[in-house]
Amino acid sequence: MFFGINLLGSTNNTIGGTGAARNIISNNSLEGILIQNGSSGNTIKGNYIGTNINGTAALGTQPIGILLNNNLSVPVTIGGTGAGQGNLISGNTSYGLQQLNPTAGTTIVGNYIGTASDGSSTLSSGSQQYGVYISSSPGTIIGGSASGSRNVISANTGYGIYATGATSNGTVIKGNYIGLGTDGVTFISGSSQDYGIYFTNVGAGNTIGGTVSGEGNLISGQNNGAGSAAGFYCTSATAIGSHTVVGNIIGAQKDGSTYVASNLQHYGVYISTSSDNSIGGTNPGAKNIISGNETYGIYITGSTSTGNYIQGNYIGANSSGAASVSSAQNYGITLASNATINYIGNSVSGGGNLISGNGTAGIYMTGTTATTGNYIFGNIIGAQKDGSTEMGSNAQKNGIFLSNGRNNIIGGSTSLFRNIISGNLTDGIEIGANASGNVIKGNYIGLASDGASVIAGSSQDYGIYVNQPGTNLLTTIGGTTAGEGNVISGNTLYGIN
């Protein structure tokens, strides 16, 4: 038949329940459950939607598990926080859950979406492309701070959560495991989920994570084998942004200190042509740990990627801030291809990032067109969180590498703008052949945060290394205003080379 269950203008129904009340809603030719046109206040809980009775394999080729469509006046609840109230929504060929035109305020809690019934393995047959698909639907809540609210959204073939449409705003995604199994440690063998969360042309003001305990998501283990998998991917043709990413672990296991062996996602956060997003914050609870990814912690690209703030995070370091998450994360933060006027750090208390323990560079500016007018201030780059101790065997090669960066400012004239750029293996700052017009001022480069002590064990060779200086135009090191001079000392070879 076309639909397993079709609610048309029907209110306050409950589909399923715990134990024997569970429905198996599978093998329909269109949707397992269709709720549309004025239906309101319905609850879907405890069902297997798309799978067999054991929740171990797909049953038939049902395209969509649940479809919510057309102006549902009172929100739908999918799942629940009590034992057995979550649904298993897996094995549907296209969408586990699809929301359209507009469906407002849906709550999605306590479900397994994409996995087998144990939440830690793939189905033995069948898989779905999208776990949750949101189109033109505002105010969706996915997860919560209590453990019973957590969704496990993993082992889908394409996207864990996909959102699109200018009226898809006010979405809150919190407290979920996206990419790993129920233990928050194990990669789901056989999973090829490309993206944990994917935003394209969505409305402004969506939130990933939260500052209250339990609201942060674990977004790790996306792995498509093609070097493009990302924890959070955000793109927009119109530069709409203003999303908030706070309190999450992106790349590591749930402890924030151990990497996902052999199954690293390529990007932690990828932002393309999207503006005014905030990653982290000055509140301690806003800190993201973005570490243990394969290549890039944060990657920002495109001329309309402007006004993004990265502040208060640990990038490359583990949850203690005293060691790295031992993995191959090569670059902490990358600004590429004309990303312009973005802010790494902040001049207020708690706004600086710890950017240490990345393999190649803490901050990297690159691209065929220069990244321009960006600000780097108030960070610790290379050392541990105390700013006085080196990272040991996993120190990053360069603190900052400006390969093709122009007119960027590193530091400032007061202590709140000062970066501590010390404890790196080779260069505190490297200025590449295509970089020009950059200003480096008011920093401690080679010394600890007290400006007097050498970081014991540090092998940072060069404070500032100007590569092919004949092609570097108007690089300024220091300044004539009080506080703009750098302290460049304690490097093992040269202060400036």
Side-chain angles (χ1 to χ4, degrees), residues 6 53 72 76 105 116 176 208 219 235 238-239 251 292 302 325 330 337 344 355 361 390 417 442 450 455:
N6 180 7
I53 195 171
L72 306 187
V76 175
N176 304 286
I208 298 172
I219 310 172
T235 184
T238 58
V325 173
N330 291 325
S337 299
I344 300 173
I355 309 171
E390 55 97 25
F417 285 84
D450 62 2
I455 293 181

Side-chain angles (χ1 to χ4, degrees), residues 375-389:
Y375 296 83
I376 302 170
F377 52 102
N379 306 285
I380 296 172
I381 305 173
Q384 294 182 23
K385 69 176 182 180
D386 61 5
S388 301
T389 311

Side-chain angles (χ1 to χ4, degrees), residues 196-242:
I197 301 170
Y198 191 102
F199 285 176
T200 178
N201 300 322
V202 298
N206 300 290
T207 301
I208 298 172
T211 60
V212 174
S213 177
E215 290 186 336
N217 301 282
L218 174 64
I219 310 172
S220 303
Q222 328 306 320
N223 185 358
N224 60 7
S228 60
F232 172 49
Y233 189 105
C234 179
T235 184
S236 175
T238 58
I240 294 173
S242 300

Side-chain angles (χ1 to χ4, degrees), residues 36-108:
Q36 59 179 326
N37 294 354
S39 297
S40 63
N42 296 290
T43 299
I44 304 168
K45 60 182 180 180
N47 305 286
Y48 284 6
I49 304 172
T51 74
N52 63 13
I53 195 171
N54 298 312
T56 56
L59 182 59
T61 56
Q62 182 168 283
I64 303 172
I66 301 170
L67 174 59
L68 309 179
N69 192 20
N70 286 338
N71 295 307
L72 306 187
S73 58
V74 176
V76 175
T77 299
I78 299 173
T81 60
Q85 292 183 342
N87 302 281
L88 173 65
I89 308 172
S90 301
N92 304 284
T93 59
S94 296
Y95 305 96
L97 165 64
Q98 186 179 31
Q99 296 185 185
L100 304 172
N101 299 328
T103 298
T106 301
T107 298
I108 305 166

Side-chain angles (χ1 to χ4, degrees), residues 152-385:
V152 177
I153 306 174
S154 304
N156 301 282
T157 59
Y159 308 88
I161 300 170
Y162 183 103
T164 187
T167 56
S168 289
N169 53 23
T171 299
V172 177
I173 303 169
K174 58 184 179 181
N176 304 286
Y177 286 179
I178 303 174
L180 296 181
T182 56
D183 61 2
V185 171
T186 307
F187 174 77
I188 297 178
S189 180
S191 173
S192 59
Q193 185 163 292
D194 294 344
Y195 303 99
I197 301 170
Y198 191 102
F199 285 176
T200 178
N201 300 322
V202 298
N206 300 290
T207 301
I208 298 172
T211 60
V212 174
S213 177
E215 290 186 336
N217 301 282
L218 174 64
I219 310 172
S220 303
Q222 328 306 320
N223 185 358
N224 60 7
S228 60
F232 172 49
Y233 189 105
C234 179
T235 184
S236 175
T238 58
I240 294 173
S242 300
H243 309 305
T244 301
V245 182
V246 288
N248 305 285
I249 295 172
I250 304 176
Q253 296 179 17
K254 68 178 181 181
D255 63 2
S257 297
T258 311
Y259 71 102
V260 182
S262 303
N263 292 288
L264 309 176
Q265 59 200 14
H266 195 66
Y267 302 92
V269 175
Y270 187 107
I271 294 175
S272 174
T273 60
S274 182
S275 66
D276 301 312
N277 300 289
S278 182
I279 303 172
T282 59
N283 181 326
K287 175 179 64 192
N288 299 288
I289 298 171
I290 306 176
S291 306
N293 299 284
E294 183 176 23
T295 305
Y296 302 100
I298 300 172
Y299 190 97
I300 299 177
T301 184
S303 61
T304 55
S305 287
T306 184
N308 296 292
Y309 266 90
I310 304 169
Q311 53 186 336
N313 305 287
Y314 285 3
I315 303 172
N318 68 12
S319 58
S320 72
S324 72
V325 173
S326 299
S327 74
Q329 181 167 300
N330 291 325
Y331 304 98
I333 300 170
T334 298
L335 303 181
S337 299
N338 208 23
T340 302
I341 314 178
N342 298 287
Y343 303 88
I344 300 173
N346 203 320
S347 61
V348 301
S349 178
N353 301 283
L354 173 63
I355 309 171
S356 301
N358 302 283
T360 302
I363 299 172
Y364 180 43
M365 295 191 188
T366 185
T368 55
T369 55
T371 58
T372 60
N374 300 286
Y375 296 83
I376 302 170
F377 52 102
N379 306 285
I380 296 172
I381 305 173
Q384 294 182 23
K385 69 176 182 180

